[in-house]
Amino acid sequence: MKQVHLICIGCPLGCPLTAELEDREVRSVTGNTCKNGEKYARKELTHPTRIVTSTVRVSGGELAMVSVKTASDIPKDQIFDCIHALKDVEVPAPISMGQVILPNVAGTGVDIVATKAVRRSRAGS
Amino acid sequence: MQNYDLVIIGGGPAGLAAAVAARNAGIENLLILERDRELGGILNQCIHNGFGLHTFREELTGPEYAGRFIEQVQTLGIPYKLNTMVLDLAADKTITAMSREDGLFRLQPKAVILAMGCRERPRGALNIPGYRPAGIYTAGTAQRLVNMEGFLPGRKVVILGSGDIGLIMARRMTLEGAQVQVVAELMPYSGGLKRNIVQCLDDFGIPLKLSHTVVDIQGRERVEGITLARVENGKPVPGTEEHYDCDTLLLSCGLIPENELSRAAGVAISPVTNGPTVNESLETSIPGVFAAGNVLHVHDLVDYVSEEAAAAGRHAAALIRTGQQVSGRTLPIRCRDGVRYTVPTSIRPEALDPDGTVTLRFRVDGVYRDKRIVVLAGSQPIFSRKRPVLAPGEMETVQLKSRLILDCPDVGELTVKLEDA
């Protein structure tokens, strides 16, 4: 039996977790203060995922950039694929919060959505 | 001069939550003053996720979290002025402000809520030797440049200080193609949240060097490199110097509540938090002037800012409705044995809701294990809770039943301290 120590990233409490592994299978998780902690440890040790946040350029908007995120978590080893896919994306204003900016980013099956609304820039300003 | 019941200075997370709570408590003649071009404050540049788990039970990004409150402000029809700079707050609560639209104007509110937030400790306050080349930014400035303006301030980066913004920017700069070489922290522990060390540094193999600081900056026009050294007893240890080639140095070395207006008004400021001293109603030394959020003390989570600001909004509303100050005893709160400060700094038992609770927030002065948070009324323990780990980077909260204080009518003070568990 192998012991692995992790810090839960589920919330800012950052609980110190201890997982017991046997043949790459998670046998038990301790140290968590909620059920998300156990879920996190099991996921982190088998197929770790992250929500990715970034920004993309806006054309004709009141703001130069709009903040975006993956609508749900994606595999950790695809973070950079996701960021590269966003490199040359430019979105025309207006943009509404939750609007899909890029569907199925880097083949993950997860959409990139806007996390902020951007209005069209007023003419002359 | 225009009369208002309540004016809130600042339209960030604290100001928004205070306004919504005051409006819901029946105050209609109120106004938010915001100096930026939009509401939301610093949340607009905090594009990462992790906000709102306490408040909304889901993980939001900064702009989404701000959006929830902005929506409430708009639904409730709470008026606000953008691009408006408050120039002065007088002891009689007269506010002098200025904007392109309105020019210079004065407001006379019955109550004021200070919600100006905080700013970053700049290089000038850190005593780092070396020239003053381009390429040295506070982490928050770099965050604004990358996330809002769309510029990458550098390609080879060293970060001094392990505050949360520094950790978040280590990840953000890495994702945007910069090479973040190291995060150096003067203290033997990180000032940021543990989860940020995991997902911002460990995920990307960025080393964190505790007990290290920058002892030299090279380059005259632009940063060309920096020298780190190990620190013992507050002094760099000779022979431990390491050189890093870099074009950018980010500073994440603490936040300072922004209290120029408060000071000018004569509000008493705590030398520990650099924020106003407040009573249980979050009211400062000037009656009718309340404070909440990072202007009061630097928080770790925005959820707690919203919670605290909502309380300030309710207390301000109560004062406006009754028009009466509470009289009676004031119990100062003393801090001992690891507790650096508390907010509030005093409690007036007569102002407490007998069936309610009063929230004490505080930070500790070092990393502690297996302790107990103990609250004494006089010398009588009235509250105790076990804490396996306490760290300066994380704010502690104690919810105290008002009854516990009201049941001790003869005590002259309260004490918050740590004890061995």
Side-chain angles (χ1 to χ4, degrees):
Chain A
M1 194 96 64
K2 202 176 114 195
Q3 275 203 347
V4 185
H5 297 283
L6 293 171
I7 301 280
C8 181
I9 62 167
C11 87
L13 283 180
C15 294
L17 309 177
T18 305
E20 292 199 291
L21 284 158
E22 205 173 319
D23 301 329
R24 315 189 92 208
E25 229 178 273
V26 182
R27 294 282 174 200
S28 71
V29 179
T30 50
N32 53 310
T33 48
C34 78
K35 60 184 191 312
N36 291 337
E38 182 173 343
K39 237 180 5 198
Y40 168 76
R42 289 185 183 278
K43 217 169 176 186
E44 189 68 10
L45 293 168
T46 48
H47 57 288
T49 62
R50 296 286 185 268
I51 286 181
V52 178
T53 62
S54 189
T55 50
V56 298
R57 287 190 190 283
V58 176
S59 59
E62 270 190 342
L63 303 173
M65 310 293 290
V66 63
S67 52
V68 299
K69 69 173 182 183
T70 52
S72 61
D73 42 356
I74 64 163
K76 195 173 139 182
D77 57 15
Q78 283 187 278
I79 293 175
F80 278 98
D81 299 336
C82 170
I83 290 290
H84 288 145
L86 289 173
K87 196 167 179 290
D88 297 314
V89 172
E90 189 172 283
V91 195
I95 300 165
S96 56
M97 199 185 278
Q99 180 180 324
V100 174
I101 299 294
L102 188 67
N104 184 18
V105 63
T108 54
V110 175
D111 296 343
I112 295 284
V113 296
T115 56
K116 189 176 171 67
V118 182
R119 282 184 302 193
R120 212 176 277 139
S121 66
R122 274 169 291 178
S125 66
Chain B
M1 186 118 69
Q2 229 179 320
N3 291 313
Y4 278 95
D5 281 342
L6 174 63
V7 172
I8 295 158
I9 306 178
L16 293 170
V20 167
R23 180 67 188 73
N24 285 336
I27 304 303
E28 293 184 359
N29 185 17
L30 80 173
L31 178 68
I32 305 171
L33 299 176
E34 167 57 44
R35 71 178 166 195
D36 206 346
R37 62 191 171 194
E38 56 185 341
L39 294 173
I42 205 68
L43 287 171
N44 287 315
Q45 69 181 57
C46 300
I47 63 160
H48 52 281
N49 58 317
F51 300 92
L53 276 157
H54 286 252
T55 314
F56 299 112
R57 299 196 172 265
E58 55 181 310
E59 197 163 343
L60 303 172
T61 64
E64 289 172 315
Y65 185 92
R68 299 275 171 109
F69 281 91
I70 294 169
E71 209 180 285
Q72 291 182 58
V73 162
Q74 284 165 347
T75 309
L76 291 167
I78 298 170
Y80 56 88
K81 285 181 188 293
L82 301 177
N83 301 306
T84 301
M85 189 73 190
V86 174
L87 303 174
D88 185 58
L89 171 67
D92 69 354
K93 300 195 283 284
T94 305
I95 291 171
T96 310
M98 193 165 75
S99 73
R100 265 175 197 262
E101 228 162 87
D102 298 307
L104 191 73
F105 60 95
R106 285 211 163 86
L107 305 173
Q108 183 67 67
K110 289 182 190 151
V112 173
I113 297 177
L114 305 172
M116 292 92 77
C118 60
R119 65 163 84 97
E120 296 174 281
R121 186 165 283 133
R123 178 188 173 180
L126 297 173
N127 297 323
I128 308 171
Y131 285 105
R132 301 184 159 264
I136 305 171
Y137 301 88
T138 60
T141 302
Q143 190 179 42
R144 183 163 182 113
L145 285 170
V146 175
N147 293 345
M148 302 196 68
E149 318 293 339
F151 299 110
L152 190 62
R155 302 216 164 264
K156 237 177 158 180
V157 185
V158 170
I159 300 178
L160 175 62
S162 60
D164 286 310
I165 316 169
L167 300 176
I168 293 286
M169 282 314 290
R171 172 176 64 183
R172 187 74 189 113
M173 299 280 286
T174 304
L175 290 179
E176 287 300 325
Q179 186 198 341
V180 178
Q181 308 192 69
V182 64
V183 176
E185 168 60 55
L186 177 68
M187 304 304 284
Y189 48 81
S190 165
L193 296 170
K194 285 176 284 226
R195 73 191 301 240
N196 284 336
I197 294 175
V198 173
Q199 57 183 355
C200 298
L201 301 188
D202 299 353
D203 270 8
F204 300 97
I206 301 167
L208 170 62
K209 292 199 157 216
L210 298 174
S211 301
H212 276 72
T213 194
V214 173
V215 292
D216 189 36
I217 299 171
Q218 293 100 38
R220 289 195 73 144
E221 299 299 320
R222 175 82 198 190
V223 175
E224 288 168 6
I226 62 105
T227 307
L228 287 187
R230 193 154 53 79
V231 176
E232 260 171 39
N233 305 318
K235 292 235 185 298
V237 181
T240 63
E241 294 88 355
E242 284 171 273
H243 173 82
Y244 290 86
D245 279 330
C246 62
D247 58 25
T248 304
L249 173 65
L250 297 189
L251 305 173
S252 180
C253 303
L255 301 167
I256 306 162
E258 196 163 342
N259 276 293
E260 282 73 12
L261 291 173
S262 329
R263 281 200 181 85
V267 167
I269 301 289
S270 152
V272 184
T273 58
N274 287 311
T277 56
V278 292
N279 61 27
E280 76 300 318
S281 303
L282 302 170
E283 190 179 29
T284 67
S285 62
I286 300 182
V289 176
F290 298 79
N294 281 352
V295 79
L296 179 54
H297 59 135
V298 175
H299 292 60
D300 52 352
L301 297 191
V302 72
D303 300 77
Y304 299 144
V305 168
S306 304
E307 213 177 277
E308 182 179 275
R314 287 191 297 272
H315 291 305
L319 176 71
I320 293 161
R321 274 203 315 268
T322 61
Q324 266 176 2
Q325 275 294 329
V326 174
S327 53
R329 296 178 303 152
T330 298
L331 309 179
I333 304 174
R334 312 266 176 229
C335 307
R336 262 176 45 198
D337 306 333
V339 177
R340 274 184 65 221
Y341 71 86
T342 61
V343 168
T345 36
S346 65
I347 287 178
R348 299 169 301 172
E350 275 71 18
L352 295 175
D353 167 8
D355 303 317
T357 60
V358 56
T359 305
L360 307 183
R361 300 183 200 278
F362 66 91
R363 285 188 194 248
V364 295
D365 61 7
V367 177
Y368 295 94
R369 276 171 209 288
D370 299 321
K371 292 281 181 185
R372 221 168 232 301
I373 299 169
V374 177
V375 182
L376 307 172
S379 55
Q380 177 76 29
I382 57 169
F383 175 93
S384 165
R385 190 175 72 214
K386 259 194 187 167
R387 292 288 284 137
V389 183
L390 297 108
E394 284 158 44
M395 211 170 71
E396 297 293 330
T397 304
V398 168
Q399 294 271 5
L400 214 52
K401 287 204 176 79
S402 304
R403 188 46 65 195
L404 294 170
I405 298 169
L406 295 171
D407 284 350
C408 307
D410 302 322
V411 302
E413 63 176 40
L414 300 174
T415 304
V416 182
K417 61 174 190 166
L418 301 184
E419 272 179 12
D420 288 330

